[in-house]
């Protein structure tokens, strides 16, 4: 600890009291103490170094400190909703979105119920964004958690424009996929992936009930029976849109990639800010895989999943 001389200490205390307790601006303090504004800044720095001022951040009542988990997972930011469920995660994701997006940003969305809760929680504000779906249509019934619908709803809340990916996420064969990608309305969306600044991603669990698996089976009808190992990539435990990852977070490359329409592994990796959202302990393995694989920069989850992650990483 650096000790200040008595005269200096008095000046440090006066500057600190004016700034931290009376909430005066540095320009006003400079006038009161008859020193320059940079001089005030230096005094406040010295006051902290001399332990005259100690700054503490008190967590909200009942909250937990998740910083060690953040380090264990290797993500740049971890945000944990104190309550469980997709609504809590969606609300927390919306607050992160409102704090970090900038006017004119290009935002990418996948699909799913957690992303729907996120979009529905965003407060109307004129951000003037361009919003792009990162995956084609996964449901035939116009669900309000499909990617293009979510882009339209987010655009309604934030202004700007949104793109519609007028194509199914999974098609019957590679030839049809290539033809669809050449369609002007589809191509105009796919060409925007390189401009996406932030991607908001629902974290999926690879299973027979995964929307991509269901869509792939439907597309394969009439082409003979297909086992699960022929539908989803071997070793897949996690997904983002139509992309699958193994337990180490490595991309799973398979023939399915040649029948899907959406962002590619390489394009996703190039997005500057990748935000994953998940709720519930059932997403444990998938979340671990994506975090450890460096797929996510920011992770937004609920407390039940966070506690499961603590146990899985040896902290519980």
């Amino acid at each position: 600890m650096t000790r200040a001389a008595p005269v200096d200490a008095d000046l440090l205390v006066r500057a600190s009291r004016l700034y931290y307790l009376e909430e005066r601006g540095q320009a006003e303090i400079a006038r009161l103490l008859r020193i320059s504004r940079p001089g005030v800044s230096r005094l406040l720095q010295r006051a902290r170094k001399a332990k005259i001022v100690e700054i503490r951040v008190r967590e909200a009542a009942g909250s937990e400190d998740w910083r060690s988990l953040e380090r264990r997972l290797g993500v740049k930011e971890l945000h944990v909703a104190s309550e469980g469920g997709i609504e809590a995660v969606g609300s927390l994701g919306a607050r992160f979105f409102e704090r970090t997006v900038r006017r004119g940003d290009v935002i990418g969305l996948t699909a799913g119920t957690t992303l729907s809760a996120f979009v529905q929680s965003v407060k109307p504000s004129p951000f003037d964004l361009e919003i792009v779906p990162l995956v084609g249509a996964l449901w035939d019934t116009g669900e309000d958690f499909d990617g293009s619908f979510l882009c339209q709803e987010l655009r309604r809340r934030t202004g700007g424009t949104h793109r519609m990916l007028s194509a199914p996420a999974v098609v019957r064969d590679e030839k049809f996929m290539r033809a669809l990608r050449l369609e002007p309305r589809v191509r105009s969306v796919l060409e925007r992936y390189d401009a996406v600044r932030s991607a908001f991603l629902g974290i999926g669990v690879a299973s027979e009930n995964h929307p991509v698996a269901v869509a792939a089976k439907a597309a394969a009808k009439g082409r003979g029976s297909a086992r699960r190992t022929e539908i989803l990539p071997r070793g897949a435990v996690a997904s983002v849109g139509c992309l699958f990852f193994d337990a180490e977070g490595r991309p799973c490359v398979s023939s399915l990639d040649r029948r899907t329409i959406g962002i590619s592994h390489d394009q996703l990796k190039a997005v500057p800010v990748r935000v994953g959202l998940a709720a519930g302990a059932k997403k444990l393995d998938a979340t671990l895989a994506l975090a450890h694989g460096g797929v996510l920069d920011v992770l937004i989850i609920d407390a039940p999943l966070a506690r499961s992650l603590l146990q899985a990483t040896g902290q519980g």
Side-chain angles (χ1 to χ4, degrees):
M1 183 179 75
T2 302
R3 288 190 175 274
V7 176
D8 283 348
D10 180 64
L11 188 58
L12 296 178
V13 169
R14 290 175 62 196
S16 299
R17 183 177 296 279
L18 288 168
Y19 186 73
Y20 292 106
L21 299 183
E22 299 183 20
E23 298 183 343
R24 308 285 188 99
Q26 291 191 22
E28 183 181 2
I29 296 171
R31 289 195 300 272
L32 291 172
L33 299 182
R34 297 183 179 181
I35 59 176
S36 67
R37 185 168 178 174
V40 174
S41 180
R42 288 192 292 271
L43 285 175
L44 296 174
Q45 290 176 2
R46 288 179 58 196
R48 291 195 295 270
K49 186 176 292 187
K51 301 297 183 182
I52 291 172
V53 172
E54 292 183 311
I55 299 174
R56 297 179 181 179
V57 177
R58 185 181 297 277
E59 302 289 341
S63 69
E64 300 178 58
D65 185 353
W66 302 106
R67 287 173 296 181
S68 60
L69 178 59
E70 181 181 88
R71 291 191 294 270
R72 289 280 187 114
L73 294 175
V75 293
K76 295 177 182 176
E77 292 186 43
L78 172 65
H79 301 275
V80 180
S82 58
E83 298 179 0
I86 61 174
E87 299 297 335
V89 172
S91 178
L92 191 59
R95 305 294 82 78
F96 174 83
F97 172 88
E98 292 158 0
R99 176 171 57 84
T100 59
V101 297
R102 298 293 179 266
R103 187 176 184 85
D105 277 353
V106 181
I107 304 296
L109 300 180
T110 56
T113 54
T114 307
L115 267 251
S116 177
F118 151 66
V119 169
Q120 299 297 332
S121 296
V122 172
K123 297 174 182 176
S125 262
F127 286 114
D128 194 25
L129 306 174
E130 180 184 348
I131 305 163
V132 182
L134 303 179
V135 60
L138 283 166
W139 293 273
D140 297 330
T141 54
E143 299 288 358
D144 62 3
F145 41 79
D146 217 346
S148 288
F149 177 88
L150 295 180
C151 290
Q152 180 179 0
E153 178 62 19
L154 187 59
R155 189 272 307 162
R156 188 180 69 79
R157 292 167 179 269
T158 61
T161 60
H162 76 280
R163 305 274 180 166
M164 295 287 292
L165 187 47
S166 304
V170 187
V171 298
R172 61 178 181 268
D173 55 44
E174 182 178 357
K175 182 178 179 181
F176 188 34
M177 183 273 289
R178 291 182 180 277
L180 272 178
R181 283 177 171 265
L182 292 175
E183 288 293 321
R185 290 180 63 184
V186 174
R187 189 175 69 243
S188 67
V189 176
L190 304 182
E191 288 175 345
R192 296 302 293 156
Y193 289 162
D194 292 338
V196 172
R197 177 188 174 274
S198 299
F200 287 79
L201 314 165
I203 296 174
V205 176
S207 72
E208 292 183 359
N209 297 322
H210 191 286
V212 171
V214 174
K217 289 176 183 177
K221 283 183 179 178
R223 300 175 63 242
S225 61
R227 296 173 300 172
R228 177 186 178 274
T229 53
E230 295 173 334
I231 295 293
L232 295 184
R234 187 171 306 220
V237 301
S239 74
V240 167
C242 288
L243 304 178
F244 289 86
F245 302 83
D246 67 14
E248 301 299 320
R250 295 172 299 208
C252 291
V253 180
S254 74
S255 60
L256 181 63
D257 296 332
R258 299 192 293 273
R259 297 197 292 125
T260 57
I261 296 178
I263 195 167
S264 70
H265 282 102
D266 288 341
Q267 288 172 320
L268 179 63
K269 187 177 180 180
V271 174
V273 181
R274 301 178 299 275
V275 184
L277 296 92
K282 64 183 180 297
K283 296 292 181 77
L284 171 63
D285 291 340
T287 303
L288 270 177
L290 296 178
H292 286 160
V295 180
L296 306 173
D297 300 297
V298 179
L299 181 58
I300 301 174
I301 58 177
D302 62 358
L305 177 53
R307 295 190 185 104
S308 295
L309 289 165
L310 279 175
Q311 293 181 345
T313 56
Q315 296 175 265

